[in-house]
């Protein structure tokens, strides 16, 4: 099934219990609101589908994995309510991934920025290539990684999250992310990554669904309040995006 978004898409397919969800946007796989909504819908649906044993989440193309929030949509926000609605899209997707009773494997072929780092952290098992550098660039445009903060901090720890948030202009390489637990595996190239994903997904597709669901529940224990927390964080980002500083910063980023 393919859901076409203006300039992009979300498509899903299932084979032998493995449901693959792929998203794409021509602006380095950035995430406009409609694409976030479609992804959330697909993750929720896959979680409720008895035929789905494991989920593989991936983006299209061979370059950037995800550039995070869509700059075009950020600039189009005119008030705090619109800002809240946009950033709520990230909150809903992270919470859908968290509460989905199926393991989510993430395929990361290239760079992750902002919300893309949030997706990497929200996955149950992320497999990446050496090209999968990470950066939390939110502070550089005057916002701060408020919505993705809880899931990133949970995955890599307080110190690493603080460092990534404060040094918002510089990339960390994939080995940095692997050592801190964001990536479970890192491979030299796409072929090795895809082989590893296929192997693990195939194994999980033949594992006990009840055991996997209960195991995932234990992994995410203590995050039950995130339904409210991430929306509170979305409201913060929704206000900050209206600042003159952020408007100018986003404009400068778009010119690069």
């Amino acid at each position: 099934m393919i859901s076409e978004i203006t300039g992009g898409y979300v498509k899903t397919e299932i084979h032998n219990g493995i449901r693959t969800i792929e998203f794409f946007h021509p602006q380095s796989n950035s995430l406009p609101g409609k694409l976030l909504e479609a992804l959330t819908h697909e993750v929720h649906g896959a979680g409720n589908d008895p035929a789905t044993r494991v989920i593989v989440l991936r983006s299209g193309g061979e370059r950037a994995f995800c550039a995070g929030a869509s700059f075009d949509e950020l600039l189009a926000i005119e008030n705090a309510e619109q800002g809240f609605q946009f950033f709520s899209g990230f909150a809903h997707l992270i919470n859908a991934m968290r509460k989905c009773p199926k393991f989510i494997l993430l395929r990361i072929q290239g760079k992750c920025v902002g919300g893309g780092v949030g997706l990497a952290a929200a996955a149950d098992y992320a497999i990446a290539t050496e090209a999968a550098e990470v950066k939390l660039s939110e502070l550089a445009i005057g916002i701060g990684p408020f919505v993705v903060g809880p899931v990133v901090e949970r995955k890599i720890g307080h110190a690493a999250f603080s460092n990534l948030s404060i040094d918002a202009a510089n990339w960390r390489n994939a080995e940095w992310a692997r050592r801190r637990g964001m990536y479970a595996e890192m491979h030299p190239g796409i072929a090795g990554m895809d082989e590893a994903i296929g192997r693990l997904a195939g194994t999980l597709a033949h594992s006990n669904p009840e055991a996997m669901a209960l195991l995932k529940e234990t992994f995410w224990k203590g995050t039950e309040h995130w339904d409210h927390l991430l929306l509170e964080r979305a409201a913060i980002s929704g206000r900050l995006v209206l600042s003159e500083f952020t408007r100018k910063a986003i404009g400068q980023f778009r010119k690069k």
Side-chain angles (χ1 to χ4, degrees):
M1 184 180 73
I2 300 179
S3 299
E4 293 188 2
I5 316 296
T6 302
Y9 65 77
V10 173
K11 65 180 181 180
T12 66
E13 61 180 36
I14 185 168
H15 182 68
N16 293 333
I18 303 169
R19 181 173 291 277
T20 300
I21 303 174
E22 179 177 301
F23 67 94
F24 171 78
H25 194 276
Q27 295 177 343
S28 300
N29 287 324
S30 61
L31 294 170
K34 290 295 185 182
L35 202 153
L36 286 167
E37 183 179 343
L39 276 175
T40 301
H41 175 78
E42 292 299 335
V43 170
H44 180 74
N48 291 324
D49 177 19
T52 298
R53 296 295 186 89
V54 62
I55 298 167
V56 175
L57 180 59
R58 56 178 287 164
S59 63
E62 296 187 354
R63 301 185 68 182
F65 167 70
C66 179
S70 165
F71 280 177
D72 288 343
E73 290 205 8
L74 290 179
L75 286 174
I77 293 171
E78 297 179 346
N79 55 59
E81 177 59 27
Q82 290 179 359
F84 170 72
Q85 291 300 326
F86 176 76
F87 287 102
S88 292
F90 287 97
H92 293 319
L93 178 54
I94 291 170
N95 278 323
M97 294 174 69
R98 172 179 67 87
K99 294 187 288 185
C100 177
K102 316 294 172 68
F103 286 138
I104 298 176
L105 312 183
L106 197 65
R107 175 189 185 273
I108 309 177
Q109 77 276 18
K111 292 182 175 181
C112 299
V113 185
V117 178
L119 292 185
D124 300 297
Y125 199 98
I127 301 180
T129 71
E130 291 178 350
E133 299 179 350
V134 297
K135 180 168 67 172
L136 284 179
S137 61
E138 286 89 340
L139 187 60
I141 58 171
I143 301 175
F146 293 102
V147 179
V148 303
V151 73
V152 176
E153 182 175 1
R154 171 188 171 274
K155 180 70 79 170
I156 67 176
H158 179 77
F161 167 62
S162 298
N163 294 342
L164 202 58
S165 301
I166 292 170
D167 190 8
N170 288 319
W171 295 94
R172 263 61 174 185
N173 62 30
E175 175 61 18
W176 184 95
R178 187 197 64 79
R179 290 199 309 267
R180 285 155 183 82
M182 183 171 293
Y183 301 156
E185 299 181 29
M186 184 185 70
H187 297 269
I190 288 177
M193 172 187 64
D194 285 340
E195 181 180 353
I197 290 171
R199 173 193 55 78
L200 180 57
T203 298
L204 293 175
H206 292 89
S207 298
N208 184 343
E210 183 181 7
M212 290 189 289
L214 290 171
L215 187 57
K216 177 159 181 175
E217 187 176 326
T218 66
F219 291 158
W220 289 92
K221 186 175 179 59
T223 64
E224 295 80 6
H225 63 296
W226 281 17
D227 284 333
H228 301 291
L229 175 63
L230 298 192
L231 292 179
E232 291 174 357
R233 297 293 187 84
I236 296 173
S237 294
R239 292 194 303 270
L240 288 171
V241 75
L242 298 171
S243 70
E244 183 179 355
F245 183 100
T246 297
R247 298 290 188 183
K248 290 181 178 179
I250 292 176
Q252 291 172 352
F253 267 86
R254 290 183 69 192
K255 293 176 182 177
K256 291 182 179 179

